[in-house]
């Protein structure tokens, strides 16, 4: 296995060029095999988990979910704060920043972005909670695609472009996750659910995030500074796939749902209030 890992690393370097030595020795980064193995294990759980739970009672997971969402919210806020505090006074350029800037600033960015990469592994728990609670309808192609692609993409980012222009996406995404996971944490408390009106705005916020990230990458294409154009083109392409998938999710979930509810109301269906029908069924 070690020989295979060495051959794989050699192949990746022959394809993408030499890796950034500043991340040598950081947990999970020296070889791609652990990240690949964790991804395959995740996919196996996604496949086997619903089959295992089919004849079993769903778990509540309420306490675990509250702690998990609180932890991710705190971690996301910490990453956002650390990135802003490094970039803002560190002289990083918004339009284009090469991977080798002020050494102390770069190292702080690298350390925070490692946590960002690792957080994508922690976020696999989103899916596991869905499976344990038998909410299999939420384990969609978009959900799985987003989780496995982010973990794997960020292994490559950390090994080749762990600083410089790479800072912006994680900064914005961490801020979005503060909003998103705090919502999920509060929604685990039944008494809070009638007051959580902003769920659909989270998807709107995510779409704005993708658009701003594309714009940020395009700035480095228009005003180059030595940052890899290949990585920038890949980032733009990946962000566009997320725009397509999330926009489709938004339309299917909220726009068509709103039209359906309006039609039901006109046909004399029970009035809806605070996102709940007379049977207290959540429609968001």
């Amino acid at each position: 296995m070690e020989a295979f890992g060495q051959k794989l690393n050699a192949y990746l370097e022959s394809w993408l060029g030499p890796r950034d030595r500043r991340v040598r020795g950081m947990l999970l980064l020296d070889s791609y095999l652990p990240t690949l193995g964790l991804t395959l294990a995740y996919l196996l759980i996604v496949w086997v988990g619903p089959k295992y739970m089919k004849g079993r009672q769903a778990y509540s997971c309420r306490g675990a979910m509250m702690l998990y969402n609180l932890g991710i919210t705190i971690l996301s806020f910490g990453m956002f704060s650390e990135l802003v505090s490094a970039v803002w006074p560190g002289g990083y350029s918004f339009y284009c920043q090469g991977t080798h800037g002020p050494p102390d600033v770069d190292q702080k960015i690298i350390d925070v972005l490692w946590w960002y990469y690792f957080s994508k592994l922690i976020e696999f728990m989103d899916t596991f909670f869905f499976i344990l609670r038998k909410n299999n309808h939420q384990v969609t192609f978009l959900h799985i695609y987003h989780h496995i692609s982010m973990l794997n993409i960020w292994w490559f980012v950390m090994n080749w472009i762990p600083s410089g222009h790479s800072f912006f996406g994680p900064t914005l995404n961490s801020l979005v996750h503060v909003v998103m996971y705090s919502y999920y944490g509060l929604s685990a408390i039944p008494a809070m659910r009638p007051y959580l009106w902003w769920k659909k705005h989270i998807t709107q916020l995510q779409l704005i995030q993708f658009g701003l990230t594309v714009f940020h990458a395009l700035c480095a294409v228009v005003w180059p500074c030595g940052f890899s154009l290949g990585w920038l083109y890949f980032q733009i392409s990946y962000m566009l796939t997320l725009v397509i998938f999330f926009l489709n999710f938004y339309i299917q979930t909220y726009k068509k749902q709103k039209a359906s509810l309006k039609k039901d109301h006109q046909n004399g269906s029970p009035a809806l209030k605070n996102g709940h029908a007379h049977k207290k069924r959540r429609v968001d």
Side-chain angles (χ1 to χ4, degrees):
M1 185 63 70
E2 184 178 349
F4 176 74
Q6 291 174 350
K7 289 181 179 179
L8 179 60
N9 287 342
Y11 170 74
L12 292 173
E13 291 200 35
S14 69
W15 178 39
L16 296 171
R19 291 193 286 174
D20 196 308
R21 293 183 175 275
R22 293 173 295 178
V23 301
R24 291 286 176 88
M26 299 185 79
L27 183 64
L28 298 176
L29 295 186
D30 283 347
S31 172
Y32 180 53
L33 283 181
T35 297
L36 178 60
L38 289 165
T39 302
L40 294 176
Y42 169 82
L43 291 173
L44 181 63
I45 293 171
V46 168
W47 179 52
V48 174
K51 301 178 189 296
Y52 173 80
M53 290 298 298
K54 188 173 183 180
R56 292 171 170 80
Q57 187 174 357
Y59 294 94
S60 169
C61 302
R62 183 176 300 164
M65 287 175 59
M66 289 176 62
L67 290 174
Y68 166 73
N69 288 307
L70 176 62
I72 295 292
T73 301
I74 293 172
L75 176 60
S76 298
F77 182 76
M79 291 188 294
F80 171 76
S81 300
E82 287 294 304
L83 286 168
V84 171
S85 67
V87 168
W88 190 267
Y92 259 41
S93 170
F94 173 82
Y95 297 103
C96 186
Q97 177 63 47
T99 53
H100 289 83
D104 56 333
V105 179
D106 283 348
Q107 190 58 54
K108 187 173 182 178
I109 296 293
I110 290 170
D111 292 342
V112 179
L113 292 188
W114 179 87
W115 277 103
Y116 183 75
Y117 154 75
F118 190 70
S119 73
K120 301 309 161 190
L121 176 60
I122 299 173
E123 287 166 18
F124 280 0
M125 288 300 301
D126 293 355
T127 313
F128 302 155
F129 281 128
F130 287 153
I131 293 172
L132 290 172
R133 298 173 69 212
K134 300 184 77 169
N135 291 339
N136 297 326
H137 64 283
Q138 292 181 286
V139 187
T140 61
F141 172 79
L142 169 58
H143 178 86
I144 297 169
Y145 169 75
H146 184 51
H147 276 69
I148 64 175
S149 61
M150 285 296 288
L151 177 69
N152 284 269
I153 287 171
W154 272 92
W155 183 89
F156 285 93
V157 170
M158 288 305 300
N159 271 280
W160 274 272
I161 47 170
S163 60
H165 212 66
S166 302
F167 80 90
F168 185 77
T171 305
L172 207 54
N173 186 240
S174 296
L175 180 60
V176 171
H177 277 195
V178 170
V179 178
M180 185 174 76
Y181 281 99
S182 61
Y183 170 88
Y184 292 149
L186 291 171
S187 68
I189 306 172
M192 292 296 299
R193 291 173 187 169
Y195 306 102
L196 303 178
W197 49 266
W198 67 87
K199 183 177 181 180
K200 75 173 184 179
H201 299 300
I202 294 174
T203 307
Q204 294 171 346
L205 190 61
Q206 288 171 316
L207 288 167
I208 293 170
Q209 170 199 185
F210 303 146
L212 289 174
T213 304
V214 169
F215 174 75
H216 183 252
L218 284 172
C219 286
V221 173
V222 176
W223 296 287
C225 62
F227 194 86
S228 171
L229 288 176
W231 283 107
L232 291 169
Y233 292 139
F234 173 80
Q235 182 183 35
I236 292 168
S237 300
Y238 177 67
M239 285 295 118
L240 290 178
T241 68
L242 294 183
V243 169
I244 293 169
F245 288 137
F246 274 77
L247 187 59
N248 178 68
F249 166 80
Y250 182 81
I251 293 171
Q252 296 293 330
T253 303
Y254 300 112
K255 294 298 184 180
K256 289 190 176 182
Q257 184 184 76
K258 183 178 180 181
S260 177
L261 291 174
K262 184 177 180 181
K263 183 178 179 180
D264 288 344
H265 181 73
Q266 291 173 344
N267 290 336
S269 296
L272 298 173
K273 186 176 182 180
N274 290 332
H276 294 73
H278 68 297
K279 293 183 180 181
K280 304 296 182 183
R281 179 177 62 86
R282 288 181 64 83
V283 297
D284 57 358

